[in-house]
Amino acid sequence: MMISDSHALFEAAGCAMTLNNTGVITDSKDFVSTAFCNQPVSAFPLFEIGAGFGSNSISALKNGHTVICNDLSKEHLEIASRNVPAEMLQRITFLDGKFPDEIDLTENSISSILCCRVLHFFNGQGIDKMLDAMSKLLIPNGRIYATVETPFIGNWKSFRPEYEARLAAGHPYPGLIENHRMHDSIAFSNQIPDVLHLFDLDSFKKLFTDHGFVIEQASYINRQGVFPVECLSDDGRDSVGVIAVKQA
């Protein structure tokens, strides 16, 4: 299958391609993004990392929140800004750049952070750095809302035996794929970063508890009707989501 064919698969499913080869963007809400957008309004702003075209940030904004909307791509954020109602523009800030290295925010200044389908593009050390930085930004009892893809998704099915063997051997990061292009069945790998790090439910929860968070909610996410059928797992374990609370 050619790269253009993988584009067609995702676009036919209703997903938009990113402009900077960081995968796809979908407006579909799951339990994590829904909870983030619908949480009670705080005196502190919300922060979205990897916002894409800003669908979740704009939904939170319409629910009365003040929002800081971040993405690597300035072009993505320019598209997002055009979709913000004029009367709400004073409550949203757009920050382009890589988190945390290129983002300067005050510690203990953010009520909640949304990070959907971003962490799986980092190795273990990179994720540790991101979670430490998020923890510093959050106020006491602030929450992280996060999702990643799992080793069970269909287009990386050939990686699963290696994942299972690593898991059985106690590998610290069994879902880290050193050469994800070798395992990609739909020729999609050139559209994402070089690192691909997939997580099951237990390993994703452990990331947060290891960084001092308390898990409030965690479960697998079925992406049927959102991702192309070629990318779906056999049993609905396509993504995994966590809502985690920073201890006071």
Side-chain angles (χ1 to χ4, degrees):
M1 179 177 292
M2 302 299 292
I3 294 298
S4 58
D5 293 333
S6 67
H7 283 203
L9 286 175
F10 279 97
E11 289 171 351
C15 300
M17 307 305 300
T18 58
L19 305 179
N20 60 347
N21 288 341
T22 52
V24 297
I25 297 171
T26 172
D27 290 340
S28 176
K29 297 287 193 291
D30 51 45
F31 81 92
V32 173
S33 56
T34 297
F36 174 82
C37 295
N38 293 339
Q39 64 185 292
V41 174
S42 167
F44 295 88
L46 308 183
F47 179 38
E48 182 177 9
I49 299 169
F53 299 149
S55 172
N56 290 311
S57 286
I58 294 170
S59 291
L61 193 68
K62 290 179 177 178
N63 286 336
H65 293 278
T66 299
V67 181
I68 300 171
C69 182
N70 159 253
D71 196 87
L72 283 172
S73 168
K74 182 177 290 187
E75 290 76 15
H76 289 173
L77 298 181
E78 288 173 351
I79 292 170
S81 68
R82 293 198 291 269
N83 292 323
V84 176
E87 68 274 13
M88 299 181 186
L89 281 169
Q90 74 277 10
R91 286 193 284 111
I92 188 165
T93 301
F94 295 99
L95 293 179
D96 63 284
K98 182 179 180 180
F99 180 82
D101 298 335
E102 300 172 354
I103 302 300
D104 185 18
L105 294 172
T106 304
E107 293 185 7
N108 297 303
S109 67
I110 301 294
S111 63
S112 295
I113 297 172
L114 178 65
C115 187
C116 281
R117 303 176 55 243
V118 171
L119 290 173
H120 54 227
F121 293 137
F122 292 85
N123 62 21
Q125 293 75 20
I127 293 174
D128 288 341
K129 182 177 180 179
M130 289 188 72
L131 290 180
D132 286 341
M134 290 186 214
S135 181
K136 290 177 181 178
L137 287 182
L138 286 171
I139 62 174
N141 298 313
R143 287 169 171 78
I144 294 179
Y145 298 75
T147 65
V148 292
E149 259 54 291
T150 74
F152 313 114
I153 53 177
N155 51 312
W156 277 286
K157 189 176 293 185
S158 69
F159 171 68
R160 202 172 308 165
E162 183 177 349
Y163 166 77
E164 298 290 353
R166 287 183 181 180
L167 191 65
H171 192 288
Y173 300 111
L176 180 62
I177 309 180
E178 283 81 4
N179 184 1
H180 59 71
R181 288 167 179 80
M182 181 177 68
H183 294 284
D184 176 19
S185 66
I186 64 166
F188 184 62
S189 288
N190 288 336
Q191 310 307 304
I192 62 174
D194 291 335
V195 173
L196 182 63
H197 198 164
L198 307 175
F199 289 89
D200 63 19
L201 179 60
D202 289 340
S203 61
F204 199 46
K205 288 166 61 177
K206 186 175 185 297
L207 278 180
F208 294 90
T209 56
D210 284 350
H211 286 81
F213 289 87
V214 175
I215 302 297
E216 184 172 82
Q217 190 175 353
S219 73
Y220 286 109
I221 299 169
N222 188 330
R223 299 293 191 188
Q224 186 172 10
V226 179
F227 289 172
V229 294
E230 292 83 354
C231 299
L232 298 176
S233 65
D234 297 329
D235 55 9
R237 294 184 294 171
D238 307 311
S239 304
V240 61
V242 160
I243 302 173
V245 183
K246 176 183 174 178
Q247 293 182 308

